[in-house]
Amino acid sequence: MAEYDDDVVSVGDTGVTIKHYLWPGRPRLIGYDDIVGVEAISLKFGTGRYRLVGFSPGRPRHYFHWDRNRSAKSRGLSVDVGRWRRLAITPDDPDRVLDLVRRRIERD
């Protein structure tokens, strides 16, 4: 059962699911065991706010999943999975997702 669920991100028992990772319809599950850390990031013109999918020139270490509503969002989350590249996710409620994920990875 999901503790958090919106159009792009779901936080459940096993991890965080990005519902549209590469393009609409292709989900990706990131298990809590794979998450090294998570932190809030601001989204601005050059740092991913208008990026539909892929890498942003202003944040070359971050891969942005597909989110057609990202331009209306000012905050997102950087998910460290132990590699140089990080995942940038943009849930509708980043504070709640940040809290849920941090509690899960600190408990394990």
mmCIF file of all heavy atoms in Angstrom, residues 12-43:
data_model
loop_
_atom_site.group_PDB
_atom_site.id
_atom_site.type_symbol
_atom_site.label_atom_id
_atom_site.label_comp_id
_atom_site.label_asym_id
_atom_site.label_seq_id
_atom_site.Cartn_x
_atom_site.Cartn_y
_atom_site.Cartn_z
ATOM 1 N N GLY A 12 5.964 3.616 -1.381
ATOM 2 C CA GLY A 12 5.293 2.454 -0.807
ATOM 3 C C GLY A 12 6.180 1.657 0.116
ATOM 4 O O GLY A 12 7.205 2.135 0.597
ATOM 5 N N ASP A 13 5.804 0.404 0.330
ATOM 6 C CA ASP A 13 6.517 -0.470 1.255
ATOM 7 C C ASP A 13 7.918 -0.842 0.786
ATOM 8 O O ASP A 13 8.818 -1.023 1.602
ATOM 9 C CB ASP A 13 5.717 -1.755 1.485
ATOM 10 C CG ASP A 13 4.397 -1.483 2.196
ATOM 11 O OD1 ASP A 13 4.319 -0.478 2.926
ATOM 12 O OD2 ASP A 13 3.462 -2.282 2.007
ATOM 13 N N THR A 14 8.104 -0.990 -0.515
ATOM 14 C CA THR A 14 9.389 -1.475 -1.030
ATOM 15 C C THR A 14 10.309 -0.376 -1.542
ATOM 16 O O THR A 14 11.500 -0.606 -1.695
ATOM 17 C CB THR A 14 9.167 -2.494 -2.158
ATOM 18 O OG1 THR A 14 8.398 -1.874 -3.195
ATOM 19 C CG2 THR A 14 8.439 -3.718 -1.647
ATOM 20 N N GLY A 15 9.759 0.802 -1.825
ATOM 21 C CA GLY A 15 10.595 1.877 -2.329
ATOM 22 C C GLY A 15 9.792 2.983 -2.981
ATOM 23 O O GLY A 15 8.586 3.094 -2.793
ATOM 24 N N VAL A 16 10.496 3.776 -3.770
ATOM 25 C CA VAL A 16 9.905 4.902 -4.480
ATOM 26 C C VAL A 16 9.729 4.496 -5.943
ATOM 27 O O VAL A 16 10.684 4.059 -6.582
ATOM 28 C CB VAL A 16 10.814 6.150 -4.395
ATOM 29 C CG1 VAL A 16 10.236 7.301 -5.187
ATOM 30 C CG2 VAL A 16 11.045 6.547 -2.942
ATOM 31 N N THR A 17 8.516 4.643 -6.440
ATOM 32 C CA THR A 17 8.247 4.339 -7.838
ATOM 33 C C THR A 17 8.083 5.639 -8.601
ATOM 34 O O THR A 17 7.251 6.473 -8.252
ATOM 35 C CB THR A 17 6.967 3.493 -7.993
ATOM 36 O OG1 THR A 17 7.139 2.269 -7.280
ATOM 37 C CG2 THR A 17 6.694 3.192 -9.452
ATOM 38 N N ILE A 18 8.918 5.808 -9.622
ATOM 39 C CA ILE A 18 8.768 6.911 -10.557
ATOM 40 C C ILE A 18 7.871 6.364 -11.660
ATOM 41 O O ILE A 18 8.258 5.442 -12.380
ATOM 42 C CB ILE A 18 10.124 7.366 -11.122
ATOM 43 C CG1 ILE A 18 11.047 7.803 -9.984
ATOM 44 C CG2 ILE A 18 9.926 8.488 -12.126
ATOM 45 C CD1 ILE A 18 12.478 8.049 -10.419
ATOM 46 N N LYS A 19 6.681 6.888 -11.770
ATOM 47 C CA LYS A 19 5.679 6.305 -12.664
ATOM 48 C C LYS A 19 6.012 6.451 -14.144
ATOM 49 O O LYS A 19 5.625 5.613 -14.949
ATOM 50 C CB LYS A 19 4.315 6.905 -12.367
ATOM 51 C CG LYS A 19 3.813 6.538 -10.978
ATOM 52 C CD LYS A 19 2.461 7.127 -10.727
ATOM 53 C CE LYS A 19 1.973 6.766 -9.337
ATOM 54 N NZ LYS A 19 0.675 7.365 -9.056
ATOM 55 N N HIS A 20 6.676 7.524 -14.504
ATOM 56 C CA HIS A 20 7.040 7.763 -15.905
ATOM 57 C C HIS A 20 8.523 8.112 -15.942
ATOM 58 O O HIS A 20 8.899 9.271 -16.005
ATOM 59 C CB HIS A 20 6.215 8.902 -16.492
ATOM 60 C CG HIS A 20 4.743 8.701 -16.332
ATOM 61 N ND1 HIS A 20 4.043 7.753 -17.039
ATOM 62 C CD2 HIS A 20 3.843 9.309 -15.533
ATOM 63 C CE1 HIS A 20 2.780 7.795 -16.689
ATOM 64 N NE2 HIS A 20 2.633 8.727 -15.764
ATOM 65 N N TYR A 21 9.362 7.097 -15.911
ATOM 66 C CA TYR A 21 10.803 7.325 -15.792
ATOM 67 C C TYR A 21 11.410 7.856 -17.096
ATOM 68 O O TYR A 21 11.925 8.956 -17.128
ATOM 69 C CB TYR A 21 11.502 6.048 -15.344
ATOM 70 C CG TYR A 21 12.987 6.210 -15.184
ATOM 71 C CD1 TYR A 21 13.501 7.061 -14.220
ATOM 72 C CD2 TYR A 21 13.871 5.545 -16.007
ATOM 73 C CE1 TYR A 21 14.855 7.236 -14.059
ATOM 74 C CE2 TYR A 21 15.237 5.708 -15.859
ATOM 75 C CZ TYR A 21 15.724 6.547 -14.896
ATOM 76 O OH TYR A 21 17.063 6.717 -14.757
ATOM 77 N N LEU A 22 11.370 7.076 -18.148
ATOM 78 C CA LEU A 22 11.969 7.503 -19.406
ATOM 79 C C LEU A 22 11.001 8.282 -20.282
ATOM 80 O O LEU A 22 11.362 9.252 -20.914
ATOM 81 C CB LEU A 22 12.487 6.296 -20.191
ATOM 82 C CG LEU A 22 13.621 5.529 -19.526
ATOM 83 C CD1 LEU A 22 13.915 4.260 -20.304
ATOM 84 C CD2 LEU A 22 14.854 6.394 -19.435
ATOM 85 N N TRP A 23 9.805 7.846 -20.314
ATOM 86 C CA TRP A 23 8.770 8.445 -21.148
ATOM 87 C C TRP A 23 7.453 7.989 -20.546
ATOM 88 O O TRP A 23 7.431 7.022 -19.788
ATOM 89 C CB TRP A 23 8.928 7.960 -22.588
ATOM 90 C CG TRP A 23 8.284 8.847 -23.590
ATOM 91 C CD1 TRP A 23 7.157 8.562 -24.297
ATOM 92 C CD2 TRP A 23 8.689 10.142 -24.007
ATOM 93 N NE1 TRP A 23 6.842 9.593 -25.127
ATOM 94 C CE2 TRP A 23 7.771 10.586 -24.969
ATOM 95 C CE3 TRP A 23 9.728 10.999 -23.656
ATOM 96 C CZ2 TRP A 23 7.863 11.824 -25.588
ATOM 97 C CZ3 TRP A 23 9.822 12.216 -24.273
ATOM 98 C CH2 TRP A 23 8.908 12.621 -25.234
ATOM 99 N N PRO A 24 6.362 8.593 -20.846
ATOM 100 C CA PRO A 24 5.107 8.159 -20.229
ATOM 101 C C PRO A 24 4.876 6.653 -20.364
ATOM 102 O O PRO A 24 5.029 6.086 -21.437
ATOM 103 C CB PRO A 24 4.043 8.937 -21.011
ATOM 104 C CG PRO A 24 4.760 10.172 -21.447
ATOM 105 C CD PRO A 24 6.170 9.733 -21.732
ATOM 106 N N GLY A 25 4.557 6.045 -19.238
ATOM 107 C CA GLY A 25 4.232 4.634 -19.236
ATOM 108 C C GLY A 25 5.357 3.695 -18.857
ATOM 109 O O GLY A 25 5.163 2.504 -18.773
ATOM 110 N N ARG A 26 6.544 4.188 -18.595
ATOM 111 C CA ARG A 26 7.663 3.328 -18.227
ATOM 112 C C ARG A 26 8.070 3.609 -16.781
ATOM 113 O O ARG A 26 8.832 4.523 -16.513
ATOM 114 C CB ARG A 26 8.827 3.576 -19.159
ATOM 115 C CG ARG A 26 8.380 3.300 -20.599
ATOM 116 C CD ARG A 26 9.486 2.985 -21.409
ATOM 117 N NE ARG A 26 9.615 1.543 -21.531
ATOM 118 C CZ ARG A 26 10.419 1.026 -22.416
ATOM 119 N NH1 ARG A 26 11.115 1.798 -23.205
ATOM 120 N NH2 ARG A 26 10.533 -0.272 -22.512
ATOM 121 N N PRO A 27 7.585 2.819 -15.825
ATOM 122 C CA PRO A 27 7.901 3.059 -14.416
ATOM 123 C C PRO A 27 9.282 2.528 -14.018
ATOM 124 O O PRO A 27 9.857 1.683 -14.699
ATOM 125 C CB PRO A 27 6.808 2.294 -13.678
ATOM 126 C CG PRO A 27 6.440 1.193 -14.604
ATOM 127 C CD PRO A 27 6.613 1.742 -15.995
ATOM 128 N N ARG A 28 9.783 3.049 -12.904
ATOM 129 C CA ARG A 28 11.031 2.558 -12.322
ATOM 130 C C ARG A 28 10.880 2.559 -10.808
ATOM 131 O O ARG A 28 10.513 3.578 -10.212
ATOM 132 C CB ARG A 28 12.205 3.443 -12.713
ATOM 133 C CG ARG A 28 13.487 2.965 -12.048
ATOM 134 C CD ARG A 28 14.698 3.700 -12.464
ATOM 135 N NE ARG A 28 15.858 3.191 -11.735
ATOM 136 C CZ ARG A 28 17.029 3.742 -11.756
ATOM 137 N NH1 ARG A 28 17.244 4.811 -12.490
ATOM 138 N NH2 ARG A 28 18.017 3.236 -11.064
ATOM 139 N N LEU A 29 11.180 1.416 -10.208
ATOM 140 C CA LEU A 29 11.152 1.298 -8.753
ATOM 141 C C LEU A 29 12.563 1.460 -8.219
ATOM 142 O O LEU A 29 13.492 0.802 -8.681
ATOM 143 C CB LEU A 29 10.598 -0.068 -8.330
ATOM 144 C CG LEU A 29 10.679 -0.394 -6.843
ATOM 145 C CD1 LEU A 29 9.780 0.536 -6.034
ATOM 146 C CD2 LEU A 29 10.315 -1.841 -6.592
ATOM 147 N N ILE A 30 12.720 2.334 -7.246
ATOM 148 C CA ILE A 30 13.994 2.524 -6.561
ATOM 149 C C ILE A 30 13.795 1.987 -5.146
ATOM 150 O O ILE A 30 13.055 2.583 -4.351
ATOM 151 C CB ILE A 30 14.412 3.998 -6.519
ATOM 152 C CG1 ILE A 30 14.422 4.588 -7.921
ATOM 153 C CG2 ILE A 30 15.770 4.157 -5.865
ATOM 154 C CD1 ILE A 30 14.353 6.077 -7.949
ATOM 155 N N GLY A 31 14.409 0.862 -4.851
ATOM 156 C CA GLY A 31 14.269 0.251 -3.539
ATOM 157 C C GLY A 31 14.958 1.073 -2.461
ATOM 158 O O GLY A 31 15.955 1.755 -2.726
ATOM 159 N N TYR A 32 14.448 1.011 -1.265
ATOM 160 C CA TYR A 32 15.045 1.766 -0.157
ATOM 161 C C TYR A 32 16.494 1.354 0.088
ATOM 162 O O TYR A 32 17.310 2.194 0.482
ATOM 163 C CB TYR A 32 14.218 1.595 1.120
ATOM 164 C CG TYR A 32 12.845 2.214 1.026
ATOM 165 C CD1 TYR A 32 11.705 1.435 1.131
ATOM 166 C CD2 TYR A 32 12.690 3.580 0.830
ATOM 167 C CE1 TYR A 32 10.446 1.997 1.050
ATOM 168 C CE2 TYR A 32 11.443 4.156 0.733
ATOM 169 C CZ TYR A 32 10.321 3.356 0.841
ATOM 170 O OH TYR A 32 9.074 3.923 0.749
ATOM 171 N N ASP A 33 16.824 0.093 -0.164
ATOM 172 C CA ASP A 33 18.201 -0.371 0.010
ATOM 173 C C ASP A 33 19.164 0.296 -0.967
ATOM 174 O O ASP A 33 20.366 0.367 -0.707
ATOM 175 C CB ASP A 33 18.292 -1.890 -0.158
ATOM 176 C CG ASP A 33 17.594 -2.630 0.960
ATOM 177 O OD1 ASP A 33 17.388 -2.033 2.039
ATOM 178 O OD2 ASP A 33 17.258 -3.810 0.761
ATOM 179 N N ASP A 34 18.651 0.772 -2.104
ATOM 180 C CA ASP A 34 19.479 1.414 -3.120
ATOM 181 C C ASP A 34 19.657 2.910 -2.885
ATOM 182 O O ASP A 34 20.494 3.547 -3.517
ATOM 183 C CB ASP A 34 18.878 1.199 -4.516
ATOM 184 C CG ASP A 34 18.841 -0.262 -4.906
ATOM 185 O OD1 ASP A 34 19.751 -1.016 -4.484
ATOM 186 O OD2 ASP A 34 17.906 -0.664 -5.613
ATOM 187 N N ILE A 35 18.870 3.494 -2.005
ATOM 188 C CA ILE A 35 18.915 4.939 -1.768
ATOM 189 C C ILE A 35 19.930 5.247 -0.684
ATOM 190 O O ILE A 35 19.808 4.814 0.454
ATOM 191 C CB ILE A 35 17.523 5.478 -1.383
ATOM 192 C CG1 ILE A 35 16.525 5.226 -2.523
ATOM 193 C CG2 ILE A 35 17.608 6.968 -1.061
ATOM 194 C CD1 ILE A 35 15.100 5.608 -2.188
ATOM 195 N N VAL A 36 20.956 6.003 -1.060
ATOM 196 C CA VAL A 36 22.003 6.421 -0.127
ATOM 197 C C VAL A 36 21.565 7.664 0.633
ATOM 198 O O VAL A 36 21.840 7.822 1.815
ATOM 199 C CB VAL A 36 23.322 6.683 -0.892
ATOM 200 C CG1 VAL A 36 24.403 7.196 0.030
ATOM 201 C CG2 VAL A 36 23.773 5.429 -1.624
ATOM 202 N N GLY A 37 20.884 8.557 -0.050
ATOM 203 C CA GLY A 37 20.418 9.791 0.567
ATOM 204 C C GLY A 37 19.431 10.507 -0.328
ATOM 205 O O GLY A 37 19.304 10.199 -1.509
ATOM 206 N N VAL A 38 18.735 11.463 0.246
ATOM 207 C CA VAL A 38 17.762 12.257 -0.502
ATOM 208 C C VAL A 38 17.773 13.662 0.077
ATOM 209 O O VAL A 38 17.913 13.843 1.291
ATOM 210 C CB VAL A 38 16.352 11.614 -0.454
ATOM 211 C CG1 VAL A 38 15.832 11.520 0.958
ATOM 212 C CG2 VAL A 38 15.382 12.324 -1.351
ATOM 213 N N GLU A 39 17.676 14.665 -0.805
ATOM 214 C CA GLU A 39 17.661 16.051 -0.345
ATOM 215 C C GLU A 39 16.797 16.897 -1.267
ATOM 216 O O GLU A 39 16.584 16.544 -2.432
ATOM 217 C CB GLU A 39 19.074 16.627 -0.281
ATOM 218 C CG GLU A 39 19.779 16.719 -1.615
ATOM 219 C CD GLU A 39 21.221 17.197 -1.504
ATOM 220 O OE1 GLU A 39 21.774 17.183 -0.401
ATOM 221 O OE2 GLU A 39 21.768 17.586 -2.534
ATOM 222 N N ALA A 40 16.297 17.994 -0.727
ATOM 223 C CA ALA A 40 15.467 18.912 -1.507
ATOM 224 C C ALA A 40 16.353 19.754 -2.422
ATOM 225 O O ALA A 40 17.484 20.105 -2.066
ATOM 226 C CB ALA A 40 14.672 19.815 -0.573
ATOM 227 N N ILE A 41 15.835 20.053 -3.614
ATOM 228 C CA ILE A 41 16.528 20.932 -4.557
ATOM 229 C C ILE A 41 15.529 21.964 -5.080
ATOM 230 O O ILE A 41 14.328 21.709 -5.127
ATOM 231 C CB ILE A 41 17.153 20.164 -5.752
ATOM 232 C CG1 ILE A 41 16.102 19.325 -6.484
ATOM 233 C CG2 ILE A 41 18.315 19.299 -5.287
ATOM 234 C CD1 ILE A 41 16.597 18.666 -7.768
ATOM 235 N N SER A 42 16.036 23.128 -5.444
ATOM 236 C CA SER A 42 15.164 24.141 -6.040
ATOM 237 C C SER A 42 15.199 23.984 -7.559
ATOM 238 O O SER A 42 16.224 23.598 -8.136
ATOM 239 C CB SER A 42 15.594 25.543 -5.624
ATOM 240 O OG SER A 42 16.872 25.829 -6.137
ATOM 241 N N LEU A 43 14.079 24.259 -8.176
ATOM 242 C CA LEU A 43 13.976 24.182 -9.631
ATOM 243 C C LEU A 43 13.788 25.588 -10.173
ATOM 244 O O LEU A 43 12.852 26.287 -9.787
ATOM 245 C CB LEU A 43 12.785 23.310 -10.036
ATOM 246 C CG LEU A 43 12.795 21.874 -9.536
ATOM 247 C CD1 LEU A 43 11.487 21.180 -9.905
ATOM 248 C CD2 LEU A 43 13.968 21.121 -10.115
#
